[in-house]
Amino acid sequence: MRYGNPWIQQRLIEEGLRITEARRVILGILGKTLQHLSAEEIYFIVRRINPSIGFATVYRTLDLLTKMGIVQKFEFGDGRARYELTGGMEKKSHHHHLICTKCRKIIDYADFIDEEKELINKTEKALIKKYRFDIKNHIINFYGLCEDCRKT
Amino acid sequence: MRYGNPWIQQRLIEEGLRITEARRVILGILGKTLQHLSAEEIYFIVRRINPSIGFATVYRTLDLLTKMGIVQKFEFGDGRARYELTGGMEKKSHHHHLICTKCRKIIDYADFIDEEKELINKTEKALIKKYRFDIKNHIINFYGLCEDCRKT
DNA sequence: ATAGATGCAAAAATTTTGCAAGGTG
DNA sequence: CACCTTGCAAAATTTTTGCATCTAT
C-alpha cells in the first residue's frame, strides 16, 4: 500500500481493480529502472523480490497496465516487447528512440524534443480533430546503423 | 526479371544477392498493396501466385529486405509484425499511424506530414550528427482510442 | 561451376489461457 | 464474503533454423 505512485493507485481503484503484491512489485520495478525492460527481464527482477510471483502474472499485469495507459509497450523489432512507465512522473522523462538495425542497440534521446514537442502537440490536436481519436501517447523511433555498425 | 522496381534490383545485385522468383513475387505483392501485411498474409497471397514458395522463404525474404532497408517492419502491438515497402516510389507514400489500442484499428495518415517532414528532417540531421547514426527511416505511431471505442 | 536461395518440417521463443486456489476490499 | 487475481502448466502463436536440394549468375 505504501510505495507506489498515488496517481497509479488512484487509477486502479477507479477501475475497481486491486492493488496486489504483484502489481506493487512490478510497478516498483518499472518506476526505478531507466531501461526498457522485457517481460522476461521484469520477471527475473520480480523473482528476486518475491519468488512466489509467476510469469503469467507479470504478463497479465503488464498487459493490464498497458491497456490502462500506465505502461507503454514497445516493440523494437526483435520479437520481444519492452515496457516502460508512460508518465514523466518519475526520473526518466519522455523520450524517443534511435535503434540500430544491426546490433539492436537502442539509444534514448530527449534532447531535441523541445522543438519536437510543439509539433507533436500540434499534430496530435489535428489528428484528434480529424479522426476523432482520443490519443494517449506516441512512439517515435528512428532506425539505422549505429556508429560501430556503420564501419563494417 | 521484368517486373519489379529497377532500383530494388540494383540494390540486390550490389550486394551480390540474386533476383529469384520468390523475391520477385514478394516484392510484387508489397509494391501493389496499400495495406500493412503480416508475414502470414503475404504468404497466403504468395501461395496463390506460386504455391511452391514456402513460408520460411517469405520470412527470410522479408527479413533480408528489412535489413537492406527496402522494406520496413512494423509491430503495432498485437504480436504480429507487418511489412511495407519503405520508399515512396510506389502508389503509397510515406505515412504515420494512428492505432486504436482497443480494437486495433490502424489508420494511416499522411496529411499533416508536410509540417512534420521539416521537423523530422531537422531532427534526423541533428541525431546523425550527435549520435553518428546512419538513419534509414523512422516510425511515428500515435496510440489511443478510435472514435468507436471512445464511446464505450 | 559455385555461391546463394529454398522447401520442408522440426525447433525456438514469446505470449496467452484454463482452472482451481488464494488474496483484497 | 464476493469478486478480483494468481500460479501452474499446458497451449497457442509467431518466427527461426538445419540440411539436403535446387537455381541464378
Short mmCIF file of all heavy atoms in Angstrom, two decimals, chain B residues 112-135:
data_model
loop_
_atom_site.label_atom_id
_atom_site.label_comp_id
_atom_site.label_asym_id
_atom_site.label_seq_id
_atom_site.Cartn_x
_atom_site.Cartn_y
_atom_site.Cartn_z
N PHE B 112 -0.70 15.54 -42.43
CA PHE B 112 -0.04 16.62 -41.69
C PHE B 112 1.46 16.55 -41.79
O PHE B 112 2.17 17.32 -41.18
CB PHE B 112 -0.45 16.59 -40.23
CG PHE B 112 -1.93 16.61 -40.07
CD1 PHE B 112 -2.60 15.48 -39.68
CD2 PHE B 112 -2.65 17.75 -40.38
CE1 PHE B 112 -3.98 15.48 -39.57
CE2 PHE B 112 -4.02 17.76 -40.27
CZ PHE B 112 -4.70 16.63 -39.86
N ILE B 113 1.91 15.64 -42.58
CA ILE B 113 3.35 15.47 -42.52
C ILE B 113 4.15 16.50 -43.29
O ILE B 113 5.35 16.49 -43.26
CB ILE B 113 3.80 14.05 -42.90
CG1 ILE B 113 3.40 13.72 -44.31
CG2 ILE B 113 3.27 13.04 -41.91
CD1 ILE B 113 3.95 12.39 -44.74
N ASP B 114 3.49 17.41 -43.97
CA ASP B 114 4.28 18.46 -44.58
C ASP B 114 5.01 19.25 -43.49
O ASP B 114 6.21 19.45 -43.57
CB ASP B 114 3.39 19.41 -45.41
CG ASP B 114 3.11 18.82 -46.78
OD1 ASP B 114 3.77 17.81 -47.12
OD2 ASP B 114 2.25 19.34 -47.49
N GLU B 115 4.24 19.61 -42.50
CA GLU B 115 4.89 20.32 -41.39
C GLU B 115 5.81 19.37 -40.63
O GLU B 115 6.87 19.76 -40.16
CB GLU B 115 3.86 20.86 -40.41
CG GLU B 115 2.75 21.65 -41.08
CD GLU B 115 1.64 21.99 -40.07
OE1 GLU B 115 1.98 22.47 -38.99
OE2 GLU B 115 0.46 21.76 -40.39
N GLU B 116 5.36 18.14 -40.55
CA GLU B 116 6.15 17.17 -39.80
C GLU B 116 7.49 16.92 -40.48
O GLU B 116 8.52 16.83 -39.83
CB GLU B 116 5.41 15.84 -39.70
CG GLU B 116 4.29 15.84 -38.67
CD GLU B 116 3.61 14.48 -38.58
OE1 GLU B 116 4.32 13.48 -38.42
OE2 GLU B 116 2.39 14.43 -38.71
N LYS B 117 7.42 16.83 -41.79
CA LYS B 117 8.61 16.48 -42.56
C LYS B 117 9.82 17.35 -42.21
O LYS B 117 10.91 16.85 -42.00
CB LYS B 117 8.33 16.63 -44.06
CG LYS B 117 8.09 15.32 -44.77
CD LYS B 117 7.80 15.58 -46.24
CE LYS B 117 7.11 14.39 -46.87
NZ LYS B 117 6.37 14.78 -48.08
N GLU B 118 9.55 18.62 -42.18
CA GLU B 118 10.63 19.56 -41.92
C GLU B 118 11.29 19.24 -40.58
O GLU B 118 12.51 19.16 -40.47
CB GLU B 118 10.07 20.98 -41.90
CG GLU B 118 11.14 22.05 -41.94
CD GLU B 118 10.53 23.42 -41.64
OE1 GLU B 118 9.27 23.51 -41.60
OE2 GLU B 118 11.29 24.35 -41.41
N LEU B 119 10.44 19.04 -39.59
CA LEU B 119 10.99 18.77 -38.27
C LEU B 119 11.70 17.44 -38.22
O LEU B 119 12.76 17.30 -37.61
CB LEU B 119 9.89 18.79 -37.22
CG LEU B 119 10.53 18.57 -35.85
CD1 LEU B 119 10.82 19.88 -35.19
CD2 LEU B 119 9.70 17.68 -34.99
N ILE B 120 11.11 16.45 -38.87
CA ILE B 120 11.74 15.13 -38.90
C ILE B 120 13.13 15.23 -39.52
O ILE B 120 14.10 14.68 -39.01
CB ILE B 120 10.87 14.14 -39.70
CG1 ILE B 120 9.54 13.90 -38.99
CG2 ILE B 120 11.60 12.83 -39.91
CD1 ILE B 120 9.65 13.19 -37.67
N ASN B 121 13.20 15.94 -40.61
CA ASN B 121 14.49 16.10 -41.27
C ASN B 121 15.50 16.78 -40.36
O ASN B 121 16.65 16.36 -40.28
CB ASN B 121 14.34 16.93 -42.55
CG ASN B 121 13.81 16.10 -43.68
OD1 ASN B 121 14.03 14.88 -43.72
ND2 ASN B 121 13.11 16.73 -44.60
N LYS B 122 15.03 17.79 -39.72
CA LYS B 122 15.89 18.55 -38.82
C LYS B 122 16.37 17.65 -37.69
O LYS B 122 17.55 17.58 -37.37
CB LYS B 122 15.05 19.70 -38.25
CG LYS B 122 15.83 20.91 -37.80
CD LYS B 122 14.86 22.08 -37.72
CE LYS B 122 15.13 22.98 -36.54
NZ LYS B 122 14.00 23.92 -36.32
N THR B 123 15.43 16.95 -37.10
CA THR B 123 15.77 16.05 -36.01
C THR B 123 16.73 14.97 -36.47
O THR B 123 17.72 14.68 -35.81
CB THR B 123 14.49 15.37 -35.48
OG1 THR B 123 13.56 16.38 -35.10
CG2 THR B 123 14.80 14.49 -34.30
N GLU B 124 16.42 14.45 -37.62
CA GLU B 124 17.26 13.39 -38.17
C GLU B 124 18.70 13.88 -38.33
O GLU B 124 19.65 13.21 -37.93
CB GLU B 124 16.69 12.97 -39.52
CG GLU B 124 16.82 11.50 -39.81
CD GLU B 124 15.88 11.05 -40.92
OE1 GLU B 124 14.70 10.74 -40.61
OE2 GLU B 124 16.32 11.03 -42.07
N LYS B 125 18.83 15.03 -38.90
CA LYS B 125 20.18 15.59 -39.10
C LYS B 125 20.90 15.77 -37.79
O LYS B 125 22.08 15.46 -37.66
CB LYS B 125 20.08 16.95 -39.81
CG LYS B 125 19.82 16.84 -41.30
CD LYS B 125 20.39 18.06 -42.04
CE LYS B 125 19.98 18.03 -43.51
NZ LYS B 125 18.58 18.51 -43.69
N ALA B 126 20.18 16.28 -36.81
CA ALA B 126 20.79 16.51 -35.51
C ALA B 126 21.22 15.19 -34.88
O ALA B 126 22.30 15.08 -34.29
CB ALA B 126 19.82 17.26 -34.60
N LEU B 127 20.37 14.18 -35.03
CA LEU B 127 20.68 12.88 -34.45
C LEU B 127 21.89 12.24 -35.15
O LEU B 127 22.74 11.64 -34.51
CB LEU B 127 19.47 11.95 -34.56
CG LEU B 127 18.27 12.30 -33.68
CD1 LEU B 127 17.07 11.45 -34.03
CD2 LEU B 127 18.63 12.14 -32.21
N ILE B 128 21.91 12.41 -36.46
CA ILE B 128 23.03 11.86 -37.21
C ILE B 128 24.33 12.48 -36.72
O ILE B 128 25.32 11.79 -36.50
CB ILE B 128 22.84 12.14 -38.72
CG1 ILE B 128 21.72 11.26 -39.28
CG2 ILE B 128 24.13 11.91 -39.49
CD1 ILE B 128 21.30 11.61 -40.70
N LYS B 129 24.29 13.78 -36.53
CA LYS B 129 25.49 14.47 -36.10
C LYS B 129 25.86 14.07 -34.68
O LYS B 129 27.00 13.74 -34.38
CB LYS B 129 25.27 15.99 -36.17
CG LYS B 129 26.53 16.78 -35.90
CD LYS B 129 26.30 18.29 -36.06
CE LYS B 129 26.27 18.72 -37.52
NZ LYS B 129 26.00 20.16 -37.67
N LYS B 130 24.89 14.08 -33.81
CA LYS B 130 25.19 13.83 -32.41
C LYS B 130 25.54 12.37 -32.11
O LYS B 130 26.47 12.09 -31.39
CB LYS B 130 24.00 14.25 -31.55
CG LYS B 130 24.17 13.87 -30.09
CD LYS B 130 23.46 14.80 -29.16
CE LYS B 130 23.88 14.49 -27.71
NZ LYS B 130 23.10 15.27 -26.75
N TYR B 131 24.76 11.45 -32.67
CA TYR B 131 24.98 10.05 -32.32
C TYR B 131 25.70 9.27 -33.40
O TYR B 131 25.94 8.08 -33.26
CB TYR B 131 23.64 9.39 -31.99
CG TYR B 131 22.98 9.99 -30.78
CD1 TYR B 131 21.91 10.86 -30.91
CD2 TYR B 131 23.45 9.71 -29.50
CE1 TYR B 131 21.31 11.43 -29.79
CE2 TYR B 131 22.87 10.26 -28.38
CZ TYR B 131 21.79 11.13 -28.53
OH TYR B 131 21.20 11.69 -27.42
N ARG B 132 25.99 9.95 -34.50
CA ARG B 132 26.73 9.32 -35.60
C ARG B 132 25.99 8.09 -36.14
O ARG B 132 26.61 7.11 -36.53
CB ARG B 132 28.15 8.96 -35.18
CG ARG B 132 28.88 10.15 -34.57
CD ARG B 132 30.38 9.99 -34.56
NE ARG B 132 31.02 11.29 -34.37
CZ ARG B 132 31.13 12.20 -35.34
NH1 ARG B 132 30.67 11.95 -36.54
NH2 ARG B 132 31.72 13.36 -35.10
N PHE B 133 24.69 8.15 -36.09
CA PHE B 133 23.88 7.09 -36.66
C PHE B 133 23.70 7.36 -38.14
O PHE B 133 23.67 8.51 -38.57
CB PHE B 133 22.49 7.11 -36.01
CG PHE B 133 22.22 5.96 -35.09
CD1 PHE B 133 22.93 5.84 -33.91
CD2 PHE B 133 21.24 5.03 -35.38
CE1 PHE B 133 22.66 4.80 -33.03
CE2 PHE B 133 20.98 3.98 -34.51
CZ PHE B 133 21.68 3.87 -33.33
N ASP B 134 23.57 6.29 -38.89
CA ASP B 134 23.19 6.42 -40.29
C ASP B 134 21.70 6.09 -40.34
O ASP B 134 21.32 4.92 -40.39
CB ASP B 134 24.01 5.44 -41.13
CG ASP B 134 23.61 5.48 -42.58
OD1 ASP B 134 22.96 6.46 -42.99
OD2 ASP B 134 23.93 4.52 -43.29
N ILE B 135 20.87 7.10 -40.26
CA ILE B 135 19.44 6.85 -40.14
C ILE B 135 18.80 6.51 -41.47
O ILE B 135 18.96 7.21 -42.46
CB ILE B 135 18.75 8.07 -39.49
CG1 ILE B 135 19.28 8.24 -38.06
CG2 ILE B 135 17.24 7.89 -39.49
CD1 ILE B 135 18.72 9.42 -37.33
#
